[in-house]
Amino acid sequence: MATQGGRVSEEYVKYKIFPAFDVVYDTKKAKQYFEECRDSYLATLSNVLIDYIWQNEAFSLKTFDVGSSDSVSELSPPCLHGCTNYGDNCEDEWFIVYLLFEISKEFPDLIIQVQDEDGEFLLIEAADFLPKWLNPETAENRVYIHQGEIHAIPIAKSISDVGALPGTPSVGQAVQTIRSYSCRTRMPVKIQRAVKKRIDGYPKKVRQSLHRGHCYLPVAAAALLQHNPQLISMAVQAFCQRDSIDMKVCRL
């Protein structure tokens, strides 16, 4: 949970990207592999990321902790992960969903999990079309993005139910199931359309959301913003969330 200007903020989206990965015990090679994967994914997204101004925190990817004893396990397979506090702008959250869909199409081996403070928020967009067995109580670790589509692992009705899992599956079980039985886990067309409708229009939609204004700035401040436009978000937040103490500092 992040803090903004002394206020607790719960608006976040977290994501995990699972590349195809054979378990190895050479942590140096594993770390290098995941760093190369991260660089490839970010390079693929660079054209749409370069001019994007985030409301609060930016999309980012970190490698798994190779020093952790459970970094490579059935419960939590190694992955790239990130968590973005999007502040007051939910469009940042959906822009991240768009980014994740794009890299899942570009790199078909990837399986991606994305959640926010409400849990499996992608399902909310398709609430009218969900099967009866899929709800907030049963969805934990079952919903993923793979090859540009939504996948959800069915609840097993018997031991012989192929491509389904009982109870609450581990992430490792879920990832392996989608890799092996993607035809079974792929969600129906109506669900796919409902979710994709929410991200329809990106990246052109980003340009439509830009606002321009004129103001007088010190030369040093103008140079900083020209060098790093992302700083404008911090400046706007500082202005909008200013209090009496901040104003006293401004008068000095």
Side-chain angles (χ1 to χ4, degrees), residues 103-119:
I103 58 176
S104 77
K105 289 185 287 188
E106 186 70 21
F107 301 90
D109 67 305
L110 299 184
I111 295 175
I112 301 172
Q113 184 181 45
V114 57
Q115 301 169 320
D116 69 4
E117 67 276 6
D118 294 321

Side-chain angles (χ1 to χ4, degrees), residues 4-207:
Q4 298 181 23
R7 300 179 306 171
V8 175
S9 176
E10 296 181 348
E11 294 80 14
Y12 68 86
V13 56
K14 57 182 180 179
Y15 33 91
K16 295 180 180 179
I17 300 176
F18 302 93
F21 179 71
D22 294 327
V23 176
V24 295
Y25 295 99
D26 188 331
T27 56
K28 184 177 181 180
K29 289 183 178 180
K31 184 174 179 61
Q32 180 180 358
Y33 171 75
F34 276 86
E35 288 175 347
E36 290 173 353
C37 286
R38 178 187 59 194
D39 293 344
S40 296
Y41 306 155
L42 294 178
T44 298
L45 301 173
S46 61
N47 288 338
V48 292
L49 284 175
I50 190 168
D51 293 326
Y52 192 82
I53 297 178
W54 301 91
Q55 169 77 15
N56 191 34
E57 295 178 351
F59 174 78
S60 63
L61 292 175
K62 300 177 182 178
T63 59
F64 73 100
D65 182 7
V66 295
S68 174
S69 59
D70 62 349
S71 292
V72 181
S73 69
E74 181 186 7
L75 293 177
S76 181
C79 64
L80 294 167
H81 61 94
C83 183
T84 299
N85 185 301
Y86 56 85
D88 299 323
N89 186 13
C90 65
E91 285 303 317
D92 279 0
E93 178 179 31
W94 286 104
F95 182 58
I96 288 175
V97 172
Y98 162 76
L99 297 177
L100 297 174
F101 267 91
E102 287 301 296
I103 58 176
S104 77
K105 289 185 287 188
E106 186 70 21
F107 301 90
D109 67 305
L110 299 184
I111 295 175
I112 301 172
Q113 184 181 45
V114 57
Q115 301 169 320
D116 69 4
E117 67 276 6
D118 294 321
E120 303 292 351
F121 69 100
L122 295 184
L123 298 183
I124 298 174
E125 297 299 313
D128 294 337
F129 310 107
L130 297 179
K132 292 183 179 180
W133 61 265
L134 189 57
N135 56 61
E137 287 71 35
T138 61
E140 185 177 356
N141 290 344
R142 290 184 180 275
V143 182
Y144 297 84
I145 300 170
H146 179 52
Q147 296 182 356
E149 295 184 303
I150 299 292
H151 288 248
I153 301 165
I155 299 175
K157 298 178 180 179
S158 66
I159 299 177
S160 60
D161 198 354
V162 177
L165 294 172
T168 301
S170 69
V171 175
Q173 291 173 326
V175 168
Q176 186 55 50
T177 298
I178 293 175
R179 291 202 192 283
S180 302
Y181 304 102
S182 61
C183 291
R184 175 83 192 276
T185 61
R186 186 183 298 113
M187 288 277 90
V189 173
K190 287 185 178 180
I191 294 177
Q192 306 291 349
R193 287 176 178 170
V195 175
K196 291 177 183 179
K197 183 179 180 180
R198 186 61 180 80
I199 59 174
D200 187 41
Y202 287 112
K204 292 182 180 179
K205 195 174 180 180
V206 174
R207 291 288 181 185

